[in-house]
Amino acid sequence: MIQRRNIVVCILLCIVTCGLYNLYWIACMANDVNTVCDRQDDFSGGAVVLCSIITCGIYHLYWLYTAGDKMDAVRQQHGWRTQNSGLVYLLLGLFGFSVISWALLQNDLNAWSDRFYQNQ
């Protein structure tokens, strides 16, 4: 089960904590994407954060792209319209707008949570 998160609160916490909360948020989103895609053998949230730190953010860009592609694959499996999310997230990250990528990804995860987990 994935947790629904308030995007505005997450962004404000990233600002207030000088970026420390974004590490936690990324880890949570990585775990949630793995749960939604039923790919528990992929990198955990902690591994994503650690690799992003070690590679000075390069792995983070790769993860943004793959997270978007995974979410598009799940949309396609359910017959929903895909949005080329991986490319959008990557371009936003490349131009310094990763926080918008995180917000869009969290919005997708919240929609998934609303649709599938609230009714159980």
Side-chain angles (χ1 to χ4, degrees), residues 26 47-61 63:
I26 292 167
V48 168
V49 170
L50 183 63
C51 288
S52 296
I53 291 170
I54 290 172
T55 62
C56 299
I58 294 171
Y59 185 80
H60 176 70
L61 295 173
W63 176 78

Side-chain angles (χ1 to χ4, degrees), residues 4-66:
R4 190 176 204 297
R5 290 180 180 80
N6 186 324
I7 297 168
V8 174
V9 171
C10 289
I11 292 171
L12 289 174
L13 284 171
C14 288
I15 293 168
V16 169
T17 62
C18 299
L20 291 178
Y21 184 79
N22 70 338
L23 299 175
Y24 172 75
W25 191 19
I26 292 167
C28 290
M29 285 190 294
N31 290 331
D32 290 347
V33 167
N34 289 343
T35 300
V36 166
C37 299
D38 196 29
R39 296 179 70 169
Q40 300 302 327
D41 56 338
D42 284 356
F43 269 23
S44 69
V48 168
V49 170
L50 183 63
C51 288
S52 296
I53 291 170
I54 290 172
T55 62
C56 299
I58 294 171
Y59 185 80
H60 176 70
L61 295 173
Y62 169 76
W63 176 78
L64 284 173
Y65 180 77
T66 58

Side-chain angles (χ1 to χ4, degrees), residues 62-110:
Y62 169 76
W63 176 78
L64 284 173
Y65 180 77
T66 58
D69 275 356
K70 288 178 190 178
M71 294 302 290
D72 280 344
V74 169
R75 278 191 204 97
Q76 193 172 27
Q77 287 174 354
H78 287 86
W80 302 334
R81 185 176 60 114
T82 60
Q83 303 170 348
N84 287 329
S85 299
L87 183 61
V88 172
Y89 298 165
L90 175 64
L91 290 175
L92 286 169
L94 278 172
F95 290 107
F97 298 106
S98 292
V99 69
I100 297 173
S101 296
W102 305 332
L104 292 172
L105 179 57
Q106 187 63 57
N107 187 52
D108 287 345
L109 292 169
N110 286 346

